[in-house]
Amino acid sequence: MVSRLARSIAIGTFTLAAAAPLAALAQETKPREATITVSGEGNASTAPDMAVLSFSVLKQAQTAAEAMSENNKAMTEVQAALKKAGIADRDLQTTNFSVQPVYKQFEPKDGVYIPPEITGYQVTNGLTVRVRDLTKLGDILDSSVKLGINQGGDITFTNDNPEAVFTDARKKAVENAVAKARTLAQAAGVKVGRVLEISENSPRPLAVPAPMMRATMQKEDSVPIAAGENTYVVNVNVTFAIEQ
C-alpha cells in the first residue's frame, strides 16, 4: 500500500514538473501588448525674482602684500555697501581668489633668450551676490563699480522657487504627449488606451532668453536693467496601450 501511495506521489510530482515548462512557454508565446511611446515637451515663463551677480576686484602692486592690502580694502568696502543695501550674509560668497606675479617680457637679444622679469603682483578676489530685490539691482551695480569692482559683471536672472512654473510646464508636456499619441493612433487606425508608463527628464531653464523684455529703469545715475522673462522646459516620455 505504501509503495502504491509513493508511486502516486511520484507521478503527481512529475506531472507538475512537466506542466511548469509548458506554462512558462505559454507565457512566452503570449503576444506583447501593442503600445505607442511618445515624448512631450512643455514650457512656461515667468518674470525673474532674483539676480545672481559675479564680479571681482583686481589690484596690482609691486609686492604681493601691497596688492593684497589694496584688494582687501576695496572688497571690504564693496561688501559693506552690499550689506547696507540689504544683501544678507547668506547671499554673499567669495569665489576665484588668486595671487599671481606680473611679468615683463623681453625680446631675444642677438638670438639669446632673455627670461621674463617679475615686475609686480596682482590679486584677484571674486564675489558672487544674490540680489533678491531687483529694484535695488541698478544701484548695487553702480555703487560696486565706484567702490572698486573692476572685473566681471556677469548677471543671471533666475527664480528663487520656480516649482509652480515647472508644474505648469509639466501639464503642458503631458498634454503635448497625449496629442502626439492621438495623432499617431489616428493615422494607424487605432485608439489610444491607458497610460502604461510615464517618466520625466530633469526640468531645466531655457538657454535662450525669452524675446519679451520688461525694462526696469532705475534712477538716472544707476545702471538700467532689463530683467525679461525666464522660460523653463520639461520633457516627458509616455507609453500608451493601443486599443485595436
Side-chain angles (χ1 to χ4, degrees), residues 3-244:
S3 300
R4 184 179 299 174
L5 178 61
R7 284 198 300 272
S8 299
I9 293 174
I11 293 172
T13 303
F14 174 77
T15 302
L16 291 174
L22 294 176
L25 182 61
Q27 290 180 351
E28 290 179 1
T29 57
K30 182 180 179 180
R32 291 178 55 189
E33 185 172 15
T35 62
I36 296 177
T37 300
V38 294
S39 62
E41 179 175 291
N43 60 71
S45 301
T46 186
D49 57 20
M50 184 170 65
V52 180
L53 309 179
S54 298
F55 43 44
S56 57
V57 174
L58 186 150
K59 293 294 182 180
Q60 185 171 318
Q62 288 187 340
T63 67
E66 290 174 339
M68 177 81 76
S69 177
E70 292 181 18
N71 194 297
N72 290 346
K73 181 177 181 296
M75 184 57 77
T76 299
E77 292 177 351
V78 169
Q79 292 191 19
L82 290 171
K83 292 178 182 179
K84 187 177 180 180
I87 304 300
D89 289 338
R90 67 189 178 107
D91 292 328
L92 296 173
Q93 187 175 48
T94 298
T95 56
N96 300 326
F97 179 85
S98 67
V99 180
Q100 295 180 336
V102 178
Y103 292 96
K104 180 180 179 180
Q105 303 290 338
F106 298 95
E107 293 290 335
K109 187 175 182 180
D110 299 329
V112 178
Y113 170 74
I114 302 176
E117 176 184 315
I118 295 178
T119 58
Y121 292 85
Q122 67 179 23
V123 175
T124 304
N125 191 359
L127 187 66
T128 298
V129 184
R130 289 192 292 267
V131 181
R132 300 178 186 274
D133 185 352
L134 295 183
T135 62
K136 298 180 179 180
L137 184 55
D139 289 336
I140 287 173
L141 289 171
D142 183 65
S143 62
S144 298
V145 171
K146 290 178 180 177
L147 290 171
I149 294 295
N150 53 10
Q151 269 198 343
D154 295 335
I155 304 176
T156 301
F157 289 101
T158 184
N159 294 89
D160 188 30
N161 184 14
E163 190 57 35
V165 190
F166 280 134
T167 297
D168 190 20
R170 287 185 180 102
K171 292 178 181 178
K172 293 179 179 179
V174 173
E175 290 172 359
N176 180 242
V178 171
K180 284 184 178 180
R182 287 175 176 169
T183 300
L184 292 173
Q186 184 179 9
V190 295
K191 293 183 179 180
V192 176
R194 69 189 189 283
V195 174
L196 299 178
E197 184 177 330
I198 184 168
S199 63
E200 175 190 285
N201 298 327
S202 298
R204 69 187 192 281
L206 195 64
V208 181
M212 189 175 103
M213 304 297 287
R214 295 175 179 170
T216 305
M217 302 300 293
Q218 309 295 331
K219 296 182 296 185
E220 291 183 0
D221 59 346
S222 68
V223 180
I225 300 300
E229 283 192 334
N230 290 335
T231 299
Y232 295 90
V233 180
V234 171
N235 292 95
V236 296
N237 297 311
V238 186
T239 299
F240 299 88
I242 294 178
E243 292 182 0
Q244 300 290 349

